[in-house]
Amino acid sequence: MTTSAGGAAGADRVRDPDTVARLAESALRQGQYNEALRHVATLPADALLPAELAWRLGRVLHQRGEFEGAESLYERAAADAGDAGADQAQLLAGRSAARWARGDRTLARSLADEAVRAAEQSRDDAALAAAYLAQALAAFSEGDRAANEHAYARAFAAAERAGDMGLQLRIRSNVGSRLVEEGRLREAVDALTEAIRLGEGAPQQTLLALALHNRAEAWLGLSDLNAARDDADRALTLWQREGSPLAAFGLLLIARVHLTRGSAWQATATYREAVAMAEPDGNAQVVAQAWAGLARTCYADDPGEAARYAELSLTLPSAAGPVTGELAAGWVALCSGDTVSAAQYAADVRSEAGRRRDPAGLAEAMELAALAAYRGDSATTPGRPAARRAAGLVEAAAVWADTGNEVALATNALLRARHAGDRLSEDVAWQRLHRLGVCDDVWHIAGPLAAIGPPPVPEVAVQALGHLAVLLSGTPVPRPDGSRVRPVSSSRCWRVSWEDPSPGPRSPPCCGRRHLRRWPTAACRC
């Protein structure tokens, strides 16, 4: 500790650029990244830096999520690296990745292509790995999955030849993220578990945090909400420990876990925190997705604010594309009764998600289209329109089953049961959602369940579960002494409604007990 402090003090006294550069390079070689950055900070902001020092320190800042600072370092070395060598390729690749992170797809592509030309001319494997990585990011923004996969394969091979463990870990994490987006979730978990194993010994813990974050996304897609929260919390802790603005990504994922659980207030608070952290650094990817999330969570309390957030999410360019924002806008529109806009958003997302190999986006778009058609057809007459709606929901269910998303699959089962008027199957689907960790507030989040609304509660229900209980609109009626009866387990259950006073036949058992459904319109909820 004394040596480190002394070095920093010496750097404060010595302003000669060459001396400071040598001190920073020495600290960088020893893995003392903060020390190296402190040395450079003693120079004037416009002082030129050696090219290798500039791109190496720029990469450190980029991996921390400090994209503006990284770009500043790259620019300070531009005049110093005037040739088309390896250092120039690294600088161009770094600038491209920083532009990509800030949502500038056009410049990111241009710089990536320049980086590849310079790297191929230099024949330096480390430069080739960085350049191909930049190309992969640009292809991802453009929705070109084939080019993205090809560039990552070339980048990883070059990083292995160069022995660059940092780039190998970064590429593994990014490839794992791509597998998540393509719905190959089990494969993603395996790939990211290997990346995490490598990251445990990495000098920069931000790379380990990235791998943990991406695996949390895979767990979320597989509906393992507890595992997703554990990995997301650990990633957030690592990013915060490093003082990294990428902690905003951790907050964003935690908000998505809350959203999936149906915890609207917790999701809203966490989304707002993510926006507050990401906006100062221009992290368009986080801000756009957080605004889309807020559009869905704010709908129940303020539909106007939800619509404003949905519009904002579509106006901000994001490296991840428009699917998340368009789905949020579509659900808000549908829940607000605008079936025409909802159907148009569904059509746009189907096209974009198909191009991006995004099965989750595609399945959700099919559900949005089916429910928009359902609400738009107020007569709900039998025939081709109803059959077409049902086919869309069935096809979406097949996609969810392929990806292994149990929450989405149970939600889809509930939608199909409601469409078919099968209250028993609807109850079973809702109980399944409860077992997966979804709470009642999910009915108030702009999405498929809010679009159809909760099932109607019978005006009057009588339960004989150990003690007689009478419920009015779901609320137990007090006994004469003022207390309420809490139903307990018993062998029979009766449910009544004012809709049809004639007794109906015995219904099939739904929970192992014997049931007598007195009125056909009232489903048993034991």
Side-chain angles (χ1 to χ4, degrees):
M1 294 295 292
T2 305
T3 303
S4 176
D12 289 336
R13 292 192 297 270
V14 180
R15 296 283 183 171
D16 174 60
D18 291 338
T19 303
V20 171
R22 286 195 296 272
L23 290 170
E25 288 169 343
S26 176
L28 192 58
R29 283 193 297 271
Q30 298 174 50
Q32 298 175 351
Y33 303 118
N34 290 331
E35 185 76 6
L37 289 167
R38 281 195 291 269
H39 284 305
V40 170
T42 64
L43 295 174
D46 58 350
L48 296 179
L49 298 172
E52 184 177 0
L53 177 64
W55 69 256
R56 288 190 183 278
L57 283 180
R59 183 182 292 180
V60 169
L61 292 182
H62 181 98
Q63 291 172 354
R64 290 181 179 178
E66 298 178 34
F67 306 123
E68 185 176 356
E71 283 192 280
S72 176
L73 285 172
Y74 297 141
E75 293 291 345
R76 287 170 67 175
D80 181 68
D83 59 10
D87 288 336
Q88 178 69 358
Q90 291 278 10
L91 289 166
L92 289 166
R95 290 175 60 201
S96 173
R99 283 287 92 200
W100 172 85
R102 304 184 78 177
D104 189 346
R105 292 187 288 180
T106 302
L107 187 53
R109 163 56 71 183
S110 174
L111 289 168
D113 291 342
E114 285 187 59
V116 169
R117 287 192 292 269
E120 288 177 344
Q121 183 175 338
S122 73
R123 298 183 181 180
D124 181 87
D125 285 325
L128 284 167
Y132 291 141
L133 173 57
Q135 261 194 347
L137 295 174
F140 169 74
S141 291
E142 295 159 357
D144 190 341
R145 292 289 183 172
N148 173 264
E149 188 167 359
H150 179 61
Y152 273 137
R154 299 177 77 183
F156 190 78
E160 279 191 314
R161 292 194 301 269
D164 191 327
M165 295 303 297
L167 274 183
Q168 288 181 51
L169 177 53
R170 187 172 162 194
I171 293 165
R172 280 183 182 272
S173 296
N174 288 358
V175 168
S177 178
R178 190 197 72 229
L179 292 173
V180 170
E181 289 149 8
E182 293 179 356
R184 297 152 64 182
L185 300 173
R186 290 294 178 188
E187 190 178 347
V189 168
D190 293 341
L192 289 164
T193 299
E194 175 62 19
I196 290 167
R197 185 187 66 78
L198 293 174
E200 295 288 357
Q204 268 195 284
Q205 292 293 281
T206 52
L207 293 173
L208 173 59
L210 178 63
L212 284 164
H213 171 88
N214 291 346
R215 190 173 69 172
E217 282 199 287
W219 289 129
L220 181 59
L222 290 167
S223 301
D224 191 336
L225 304 186
N226 292 330
R229 183 62 193 270
D230 288 345
D231 276 355
D233 283 342
R234 189 180 173 200
L236 177 62
T237 298
L238 290 172
W239 274 323
Q240 288 177 332
R241 191 177 295 162
E242 293 284 331
S244 170
L246 291 180
F249 277 104
L251 291 169
L252 181 66
L253 189 52
I254 291 171
R256 288 176 55 200
V257 174
H258 288 314
L259 183 73
T260 303
R261 289 189 189 278
S263 304
W265 287 353
Q266 292 182 74
T268 297
T270 312
Y271 276 130
R272 292 191 192 281
E273 190 178 356
V275 170
M277 183 176 291
E279 275 188 320
D281 293 292
N283 193 332
Q285 195 170 350
V286 169
V287 174
Q289 292 191 53
W291 278 340
L294 285 168
R296 300 179 70 159
T297 61
C298 291
Y299 168 76
D301 296 323
D302 191 340
E305 184 181 23
R308 183 176 65 84
Y309 277 125
E311 184 178 352
L312 283 172
S313 71
L314 294 174
T315 58
L316 189 65
S318 170
V323 168
T324 301
E326 288 180 341
L327 282 172
W331 288 122
V332 170
L334 182 60
C335 292
S336 302
D338 186 353
T339 57
V340 175
S341 295
Q344 184 58 56
Y345 281 122
D348 292 344
V349 173
R350 281 204 306 269
S351 174
E352 183 69 13
R355 188 174 70 88
R356 288 177 172 269
R357 299 184 195 172
D358 178 1
L362 183 61
E364 197 170 343
M366 288 190 284
E367 291 174 342
L368 176 60
L371 295 182
Y374 182 83
R375 290 191 61 170
D377 181 16
S378 57
T380 61
T381 56
R384 180 173 174 79
R388 185 62 179 162
R389 290 194 302 269
L393 292 176
V394 170
E395 186 175 354
V399 176
W400 292 128
D402 285 343
T403 63
N405 191 322
E406 293 295 327
V407 169
L409 194 57
T411 300
N412 181 278
L414 195 153
L415 298 179
R416 287 183 286 125
R418 178 71 65 87
H419 181 271
D422 185 347
R423 287 293 302 275
L424 180 58
S425 295
E426 184 177 338
D427 285 349
V428 171
W430 178 240
Q431 291 164 12
R432 183 178 170 198
L433 284 170
H434 262 302
R435 288 194 298 271
L436 289 168
V438 178
C439 64
D440 292 346
D441 208 26
V442 72
W443 294 101
H444 304 296
I445 293 173
L449 295 185
I452 64 172
V457 177
E459 289 186 35
V460 179
V462 179
Q463 290 181 315
L465 302 173
H467 298 280
L468 180 68
V470 179
L471 293 85
L472 294 178
S473 298
T475 303
V477 177
R479 295 189 299 186
D481 60 2
S483 64
R484 293 179 183 271
V485 176
R486 188 182 73 175
V488 296
S489 177
S490 182
S491 61
R492 286 181 179 270
C493 170
W494 290 269
R495 185 165 287 268
V496 299
S497 166
W498 294 117
E499 296 179 19
D500 185 354
S502 61
R506 289 181 179 272
S507 62
C510 65
C511 66
R513 304 189 184 100
R514 290 184 298 161
H515 292 78
L516 181 63
R517 184 176 297 171
R518 298 289 301 276
W519 285 271
T521 56
C524 173
R525 293 174 180 272
C526 307

